[in-house]
Amino acid sequence: MTIEGKIIKALSGFYGVQYEGGYVQCKARGLFRKTGTSPLVGDRVMFSVEDEMIYEIQSRKNALVRPPVANVDMALLVFSAREPDFQTTLLDRFLVVLEAYDIEPLICISKMDLAEKNLGTIQEEADVYKKMGYDVLWTSSETNTGLEQLRPWLRQKVSVIAGQSGVGKSSLLNALSPGLDLKTEEISASLGRGKHTTRHVELLNIEDGWIADTPGFSSLDFDAVDSAHELHKYFRDFQAYAPNCKFRGCTHLKEPKCAVKQAVESAISHHLGMSITNSFFKK
Ligand code: GDP
Ligand code: ZN
C-alpha cells in the first residue's frame, strides 16, 4: 500500500519522507532512472512505509536547479543594507526569474542595524519595488528586528533563500530558529573551509513551513525562460502597459508605439527591465 508524503531531505540516494504518521528514510525505485525524473526535496510522493520505497512523484509546480528543490512557493531575497551595500541589479534579475518559475518573491533588506547614512536612499529604492507590487521587509539578525514580521510569510510554504554571499542569510535563519546552528561566514572562515560543501539538501521546518537549508538560486538560472521573446512577460511593471502596445509580441525595446516605453519616458513607470532585456538579447 502506498501513501502520500513529502520529501524533506535528500542525501546520496536516500530520501527522507515526512508523512502524517511520521518520518521514514526511503529509496527510490529504479523506475525513475527510466523516466528520467529523479525525486527532489519538496516533491510530494507516493511511497510505502513497509518497504521504505518511493513509487511515484506527484506532478510538480516547478523545480529549481540550485538548490534542487521542487514545488517552491516563495523565495526570500536577502539584500543587506550595508556590508555589502544594497544593490538592485541582482534583485531585478531575481524578480524576473522568479516570475517565470511562478515563485512569490519576498524582498528582505538585512543588516538594518548597519544602515545609517544610506537609510533614506534604501527606503526610496524599496518604495519603487513596493509600488510595483512587491513586498519588502526590513530585518537585522544582530538586533532581532523584523523577525516577527517575517515569520508569517514562511507558514505553510516551501521557501528558498537567495542573495549574494555575506548578506546574512545563515544568520537570518539562525535568528529565526536558534536551534538550527547553521554556520555563518565568520565561523566557517575560522574553520578554514568553504561553506556549503555538502551536497545534501534539507528542508528546515520553521514556522509550520519549510525552508531549504542551502542558499542558491542565481541570476543565471534563466532556464524557465524559453526565449528572449518571452522575457518581457516576467516584468510585473510592464503588465499594466503592455496590452496597449501597437504590435503583438512587442519586446518593448525598439518597436514603435510601444506603451511600455511611453510609460517610462513619461516617468509613470520605473523601468525595471530595460537593462536586463538588453543584456539577455546580447547573449
Ligand atoms: P550569508 O553568506 O548570506 O549566509 O551571510 P552570514 O549569515 O554568514 O553573515 C555574513 C556576515 O555578516 C557575518 O559576519 C555575520 O555575523 C554578519 N551579519 C549577518 N547578519 C547581520 C546583521 O543583521 N547585522 C550585522 N551587523 N551583521 C550581520
Ligand atoms: Zn511594447
Side-chain angles (χ1 to χ4, degrees), residues 43-264:
D43 267 327
R44 289 173 303 117
V45 294
M46 298 307 291
F47 77 106
S48 154
V49 181
E50 290 82 46
D51 56 6
E52 299 179 347
M53 193 68 83
I54 295 170
Y55 288 93
E56 200 186 323
I57 304 171
Q58 315 276 59
S59 70
R60 293 169 179 160
K61 168 182 159 179
N62 54 36
L64 291 180
V65 182
R66 251 168 315 152
V69 179
N71 299 317
V72 180
D73 300 304
M74 191 179 84
L76 186 60
L77 305 178
V78 185
F79 285 82
S80 47
R82 295 280 308 275
E83 298 178 18
D85 279 341
F86 184 72
Q87 62 134 323
T88 57
T89 320
L90 184 61
L91 174 57
D92 290 347
R93 289 176 166 257
F94 278 158
L95 293 174
V96 171
V97 177
L98 289 171
E99 200 78 25
Y101 275 112
D102 192 19
I103 298 173
E104 183 65 27
L106 175 60
I107 301 168
C108 171
I109 304 175
S110 62
K111 303 198 192 184
M112 283 310 292
D113 58 294
L114 298 180
E116 283 169 21
K117 285 189 191 128
N118 65 343
L119 186 59
T121 320
I122 299 173
Q123 270 164 344
E124 271 170 37
E125 296 197 81
D127 280 342
V128 172
Y129 290 93
K130 281 192 198 160
K131 270 192 203 130
M132 281 188 256
Y134 294 106
D135 290 292
V136 183
L137 287 184
W138 310 81
T139 62
S140 165
S141 309
E142 195 71 22
T143 58
N144 284 344
T145 309
L147 301 180
E148 297 320 309
Q149 281 82 349
L150 174 54
R151 288 183 195 283
W153 286 94
L154 303 171
R155 288 193 189 124
Q156 309 275 327
K157 288 179 194 144
V158 172
S159 304
V160 294
I161 189 163
Q164 68 185 111
S165 176
V167 293
K169 297 181 294 297
S170 315
S171 306
L172 193 59
L173 293 182
N174 282 334
L176 282 167
S177 188
L180 290 177
D181 202 19
L182 296 176
K183 283 191 185 64
T184 60
E185 199 143 82
E186 276 167 349
I187 298 160
S188 48
S190 70
L191 288 172
R193 51 184 149 94
K195 289 202 299 179
H196 320 309
T197 45
T198 48
R199 288 184 60 83
H200 92 287
V201 186
E202 187 171 350
L203 292 180
L204 307 167
N205 189 204
I206 301 181
E207 287 305 314
D208 187 22
W210 300 98
I211 185 157
D213 69 336
T214 15
F217 193 74
S218 91
S219 60
L220 302 170
D221 294 340
F222 269 105
D223 310 6
V225 184
D226 291 334
S227 80
H229 291 276
E230 295 255 288
L231 190 61
H232 65 94
K233 288 196 277 183
Y234 306 121
F235 294 98
R236 276 195 195 175
D237 51 335
F238 287 8
Q239 282 158 15
Y241 310 101
N244 301 326
C245 292
K246 179 154 192 239
F247 295 101
R248 263 216 287 159
C250 184
T251 58
H252 322 300
L253 280 172
K254 295 191 177 97
E255 294 88 343
K257 302 216 169 142
C258 166
V260 171
K261 281 197 294 176
Q262 276 164 18
V264 176

